[in-house]
Amino acid sequence: MSANGGTKAIVAALLANVGIAITKFIAFLLTGSSSMLAESIHSVADSGNQGLLLLGGKRAKREATPQHPFGYGRERYIYAFIVSIVLFSVGGLFALYEAYHKWSHPEGITEWQWVPVTVLVAAIIMESFSFRTAIVESNRIRGNQSWVHFVRRAKAPELPVVLLEDLGALVGLVFALFGVSLTLITGNGEWDAIGTAMIGVLLVVIAIILAIETKSLLLGEGAEAHDVAAIEKAVTDGPEVERIIHMKTLYLGPEELMVAAKIGVPACDSAEELARGINAVEARIRAAVPAARVIYLEPDIYSAAAERAGSGSAATTAVPESESGRVAGRHGS
């Protein structure tokens, strides 16, 4: 679904961030600007994060084992969560510390004054190309969703992570340009500290958003409402199933959905006939939602009386009313 597009966006961001990190660090060594140092560490953290996303994507492709019978698809979520921790600690907290240090000992930029502005403008241009790649690749699968909904509900974590990182990088570069420019104009290094603090707050906020969204994926999310409706229609769109008694879905990885359902089936003459019917239902589900690769269907005989009792299954052993009263009486006493 989005693996190839996600990889392309990650590689584009990685190449851009490595180049940007080197130029920013050179600018910091020449000028001593804390904004440039914060942005250098930011780009180094982003480069490491993109490496983690590539590693997670590769490890998630491993075959299932007896110990991990559903495979390693969720490993992509784990590495995306690690990315949020790296962005928070290495990027955000370091920038806030550097801002505090610079505010306590403000220094103007007295040498190579043209370097930081030139580097930041060039970095904005390079980062814009990376951000554009992430947008183009995301649009291939985003459909009519809003950007907020796409970031919050996407099952493949790579594109939302790269989008937020690139957006944060662009806004952070603007903050750095703001701090450096005012420092050059006024000669007051406190503006440099303010720009650095703004970068730190930005990175911490983005890291928290990423952590919240990837935590939800790690805990396990079900299918979207439109996919659930498509699965339900596929199940009941034939004579094999009278109704769905209950159904649950769970993403085992970004592109692998598990469907488990108890279905009410009509009486049949043989197990062979029942098996053919279940196979037909599974084929319809996979055609409707290709991500539904793991399907478990439990056939049962539906009972309206049992539904009122809370089970929906005629196979559930009924408790005689007189016995039920005695049991309820003992529990209530």
Side-chain angles (χ1 to χ4, degrees):
M1 181 172 63
S2 60
N4 292 334
T7 301
K8 183 177 179 180
I10 294 169
V11 171
L14 177 60
L15 294 176
N17 279 311
V18 170
I20 292 170
I22 293 172
T23 55
K24 286 177 182 175
F25 194 69
I26 293 173
F28 160 71
L29 293 176
L30 294 174
T31 64
S33 167
S34 66
S35 291
M36 295 307 303
L37 178 58
E39 275 298 302
S40 300
I41 299 301
H42 178 189
S43 294
V44 170
D46 280 354
S47 300
N49 288 342
Q50 274 110 44
L52 287 172
L53 291 175
L54 290 173
L55 178 61
K58 182 178 180 180
R59 291 181 61 84
K61 294 178 181 178
R62 290 178 294 167
E63 295 293 331
T65 64
Q67 188 175 8
H68 297 91
F70 291 110
Y72 293 85
R74 285 197 182 183
E75 196 145 359
R76 288 164 68 179
Y77 300 152
I78 294 172
Y79 279 88
F81 188 77
I82 295 173
V83 163
S84 67
I85 296 173
V86 172
L87 196 63
F88 178 83
S89 57
V90 178
L93 295 185
F94 178 83
L96 291 174
Y97 166 77
E98 184 62 23
Y100 169 78
H101 175 74
K102 192 71 173 184
W103 183 266
S104 303
H105 304 88
E107 298 177 1
I109 301 174
T110 58
E111 298 179 345
W112 300 90
Q113 294 181 332
W114 59 272
V115 169
V117 175
T118 303
V119 168
L120 289 171
V121 171
I124 288 173
I125 294 172
M126 287 188 284
E127 198 67 62
S128 297
F129 281 109
S130 173
F131 191 38
R132 180 181 179 278
T133 300
I135 290 174
V136 170
E137 296 301 325
S138 298
N139 279 333
R140 298 181 191 277
I141 61 172
R142 184 170 66 94
N144 295 324
Q145 301 177 78
S146 68
W147 284 107
V148 173
H149 189 273
F150 173 71
V151 170
R152 295 198 61 187
R153 303 304 297 170
K155 305 306 178 185
E158 292 84 2
L159 283 173
V161 168
V162 173
L163 277 169
L164 287 176
E165 280 192 346
D166 284 352
L167 176 62
L170 277 173
V171 177
L173 287 167
V174 172
F175 288 165
L177 188 60
F178 166 81
V180 167
S181 298
L182 286 179
T183 299
L184 290 172
I185 293 171
T186 64
N188 185 354
E190 289 181 349
W191 286 109
D192 197 16
I194 292 173
T196 306
M198 293 166 68
I199 294 169
V201 171
L202 172 70
L203 294 180
V204 167
V205 170
I206 290 176
I208 290 173
I209 293 172
L210 284 177
I212 292 172
E213 297 307 322
T214 51
K215 183 198 77 168
S216 178
L217 292 170
L218 279 170
L219 289 174
E221 290 187 355
E224 293 290 308
H226 64 276
D227 283 336
V228 171
I231 292 170
E232 290 176 344
K233 184 177 185 302
V235 171
T236 57
D237 197 21
E240 303 88 357
V241 177
E242 293 180 335
R243 65 182 300 152
I244 297 172
I245 298 174
H246 59 75
M247 183 180 79
K248 296 183 185 297
T249 62
L250 178 68
Y251 270 94
L252 303 175
E255 290 141 15
E256 187 173 27
L257 178 67
M258 181 175 72
V259 179
K262 176 176 281 192
I263 53 177
V265 299
C268 57
D269 296 330
S270 67
E272 182 180 357
E273 181 182 350
L274 178 61
R276 282 199 303 268
I278 290 177
N279 289 338
V281 174
E282 290 180 352
R284 290 201 301 268
I285 292 174
R286 291 191 174 95
V289 182
R293 300 178 184 176
V294 181
I295 302 173
Y296 297 103
L297 299 178
E298 179 185 351
D300 208 336
I301 305 299
Y302 175 76
S303 166
E307 176 72 18
R308 290 192 296 271
S311 70
S313 169
T316 303
T317 303
V319 179
E321 184 177 352
S322 57
E323 182 65 20
S324 175
R326 290 198 297 272
V327 172
R330 285 199 296 271
H331 283 285
S333 60

